[in-house]
Amino acid sequence: MKTCLVVDDSSVIRKVARRILEGLEFTIEEAEDGEQALDACRRRLPEAILLDWNMPKMDGYEFLRLLRRLPGGDGPKVVFCTTENDVAHIARALHAGANEYIMKPFDKEIVEAKFQEVGLI
Amino acid sequence: MTPDDFDFLRKMLRERSGLVLAAEKQYLAESRLLPVARKYNIASLGDLVQQLRVMPNSPLAVATVEAMTTNETFFFRDKLPYDHFRDTILPALVAAHDRDKRIRIWCAAASTGQEPYSLALIIRELAQKEPALAAYRFDILATDLSGDVLERARSGIYSQFEVQRGLPIQLLLKYFSQVGETWQIAPEIRAMVQFRTLNLLNDFSPLGRFDVVFCRNVLIYFDQPTKIQVLNRIARQIAEDGYLALGAAETVVGLTDAFRPLTEKRGLYVPNPAARDLEPLAMAGGARRGM
Ligand SMILES: C[S@@+](CC[C@H](N)C(=O)[O-])C[C@H]1O[C@@H](n2cnc3c(N)ncnc32)[C@H](O)[C@@H]1O
């Protein structure tokens, strides 16, 4: 089974994402902010990361930049999942090495489509 | 709606669009037609059917038929047919048409446009990698029974939800602009597609010959004789070295010999030269003239 790290400061969003991704046969790990996520990745790199943008301590963008510099950090497929729904943010995210981008609100179909798009399922 | 009303409705839908509505689907008819009744200020569905009986050619009848069709679609639906288009169909056709440099594509049930635009995006992306393609002319004709969906298709405007189903984010960024909460596809992509209303039950031979026909997720709503006659008539409009793409739940197998499946390419069919010669001239089921 593949592992997906769900990074979001909202426990509600993490719960929704967990339910969807478990339905797609992922093992789920959770982090509340970029720092926690980075710690988790230093311990073990997941196959997939579902990543919020705005979070306390370290935001998703900063996390992504640091992740991609870790040894093997280019491995995980990173799918942003955020309310930052404008062209400028999307462009920045892709530039920093995001593989896909989900604009909230999202549902199972969108997550499934995006994970398929990057070859995770 | 009385059972008699529902029977009338089912018959009308079948005649007009080919849609076969199962006898137990009255609830579906009711939920889809209530908004139509409201829009036309009609008090009940019984009254609505009464008006259809009296005025079978009214705008109300058109609205009724359109309300009953399923328009669901999304960009790069099922992915595989689009991979076939990019990796198999286009290279073959580009080689075959190195003289006339013209390739004609028909989306026969285009709905709100995601299918023809997906094809246009593939062509555009490929042309950027292979400059030789710039010399080719690609005509994409997108037709549908419903004028409403085509109007939306023409506008090229999609909701946030629609652009997230099947469209890779890089393509969204590259070819769409944000208009408030919605996204509009670029004018140069819109200009690659021509939209026109067309009922597949009617004669479509005036459209001419195509190199590729995408006829996806519409035959499933038809009964067997209708599927057969539509497929046979499509066969007449496809070039000998052309391709037909059907939906994931559709096939020609057991219906017609006019096409044969490409076994290693699921969902893709090519004209069957043997059948072309054998085929009697009379059209099975025949197309209606007009409209
Ligand atoms: C489910 S959509 C398929 C859209 C697209 N081809 C796809 O696969 O995503 C079916 C479309 O067929 C159209 N349709 C239904 N009956 C038709 C007919 N008799 N002639 C032409 N179009 C028809 C409907 O209006 C609807 O837009």
Side-chain angles (χ1 to χ4, degrees):
Chain A
M1 253 181 20
K2 290 178 178 165
T3 301
C4 181
L5 176 63
V6 175
V7 191
D8 202 304
D9 54 340
S10 154
S11 61
V12 177
I13 297 279
R14 291 202 305 273
K15 207 171 184 174
V16 172
R18 170 185 282 276
R19 196 173 324 128
I20 291 174
L21 287 163
E22 282 179 347
L24 298 172
E25 317 250 287
F26 281 87
T27 304
I28 304 303
E29 280 184 49
E30 295 184 20
E32 288 175 27
D33 56 53
E35 270 182 23
Q36 275 190 16
L38 210 55
D39 284 345
C41 287
R42 286 202 183 98
R43 284 194 301 274
R44 189 179 111 69
L45 285 166
E47 279 83 11
I49 301 174
L50 192 73
L51 183 62
D52 188 19
W53 195 300
N54 272 316
M55 290 176 292
K57 295 195 186 155
M58 185 192 294
D59 71 15
Y61 179 77
E62 187 60 21
F63 160 77
L64 177 57
R65 286 185 45 236
L66 296 174
L67 166 76
R68 292 306 192 207
R69 287 185 208 155
L70 291 182
D74 55 352
K77 302 283 188 201
V78 174
V79 178
F80 258 104
C81 183
T82 168
T83 48
E84 311 301 322
N85 295 347
D86 57 277
V87 171
H89 275 90
I90 298 173
R92 272 181 77 199
L94 293 183
H95 189 70
N99 300 89
E100 257 297 345
Y101 203 98
I102 293 172
M103 298 177 269
K104 287 176 183 166
F106 62 100
D107 63 7
K108 178 168 187 285
E109 278 179 17
I110 290 176
V111 174
E112 196 170 349
K114 293 295 187 181
F115 272 54
Q116 252 163 19
E117 190 53 49
V118 296
L120 281 163
I121 44 181
Chain B
M1 209 185 322
T2 64
D4 201 36
D5 287 343
F6 184 53
D7 279 348
F8 173 85
L9 197 65
R10 286 175 68 207
K11 189 157 164 282
M12 178 185 125
L13 292 169
R14 195 182 193 127
E15 280 172 10
R16 294 232 176 178
S17 71
L19 173 71
V20 179
L21 192 60
E24 68 274 11
K25 290 253 169 103
Q26 185 159 343
Y27 70 91
L28 182 72
E30 288 174 349
S31 70
R32 291 206 180 166
L33 293 183
L34 275 173
V36 177
R38 215 170 296 133
K39 187 173 161 202
Y40 284 80
N41 278 318
I42 298 170
S44 71
L45 291 181
D47 289 356
L48 184 141
V49 173
Q50 186 50 34
Q51 292 201 20
L52 294 176
R53 289 182 201 263
V54 183
M55 293 179 293
N57 292 314
S58 58
L60 175 68
V62 174
T64 299
V65 171
E66 293 194 358
M68 289 308 301
T69 57
T70 299
N71 302 120
E72 169 162 285
T73 182
F74 35 100
F75 288 100
F76 298 98
R77 181 175 191 169
D78 302 332
K79 201 163 179 295
L80 197 61
Y82 296 95
D83 291 345
H84 291 332
F85 180 72
R86 187 186 47 239
D87 304 333
T88 305
I89 299 178
L90 273 183
L93 290 179
V94 163
H97 288 263
D98 64 335
R99 282 165 168 274
D100 65 337
K101 296 205 163 25
R102 183 171 180 211
I103 293 170
R104 294 192 76 215
I105 301 162
W106 177 26
C107 291
S111 189
T112 41
Q114 285 90 329
E115 180 178 284
Y117 285 141
S118 296
L119 297 176
L121 289 170
I122 290 173
I123 292 168
R124 182 51 68 114
E125 283 284 285
L126 207 64
Q128 288 181 354
K129 281 184 228 133
E130 316 223 358
L133 282 194
Y136 284 72
R137 181 172 147 194
F138 293 91
D139 292 326
I140 306 176
L141 176 67
T143 62
D144 198 282
L145 172 76
S146 159
D148 280 0
V149 291
L150 290 179
E151 204 165 307
R152 283 204 50 213
R154 256 182 224 111
S155 79
I157 296 176
Y158 297 97
S159 71
Q160 184 170 295
F161 180 72
E162 288 169 321
V163 296
Q164 300 208 79
R165 282 179 85 187
L167 187 69
I169 195 70
Q170 287 84 357
L171 293 184
L172 180 74
L173 200 58
K174 196 162 161 189
Y175 294 105
F176 288 71
S177 56
Q178 204 166 12
V179 186
E181 301 266 279
T182 62
W183 296 79
Q184 184 169 36
I185 198 161
E188 78 257 26
I189 303 296
R190 261 184 287 156
M192 292 174 70
V193 185
Q194 241 203 6
F195 294 97
R196 203 189 296 177
T197 52
L198 179 111
N199 187 338
L200 286 170
L201 301 188
N202 292 343
D203 178 25
F204 46 69
S205 57
L207 297 181
R209 281 242 170 157
F210 294 93
D211 302 295
V212 187
V213 177
F214 269 57
C215 182
R216 306 196 67 229
N217 302 301
V218 63
L219 294 179
I220 29 167
Y221 301 107
F222 298 166
D223 62 17
Q224 183 129 330
T226 310
K227 285 180 194 174
I228 293 172
Q229 62 108 332
V230 172
L231 282 169
N232 282 338
R233 287 188 294 116
I234 290 176
R236 288 163 215 278
Q237 308 305 127
I238 288 197
E240 277 158 48
D241 56 357
Y243 297 85
L244 168 70
L246 296 180
E250 296 161 335
T251 180
V252 304
V253 176
L255 295 174
T256 175
D257 293 331
F259 293 97
R260 64 180 176 81
L262 283 179
T263 33
E264 68 287 15
K265 315 269 178 219
R266 238 183 105 225
L268 210 56
Y269 303 83
V270 292
N272 192 356
R276 215 174 256 265
D277 301 333
L278 290 175
E279 215 181 330
L281 261 176
M283 297 183 201
R288 295 191 310 227
R289 289 275 155 189
M291 200 181 119

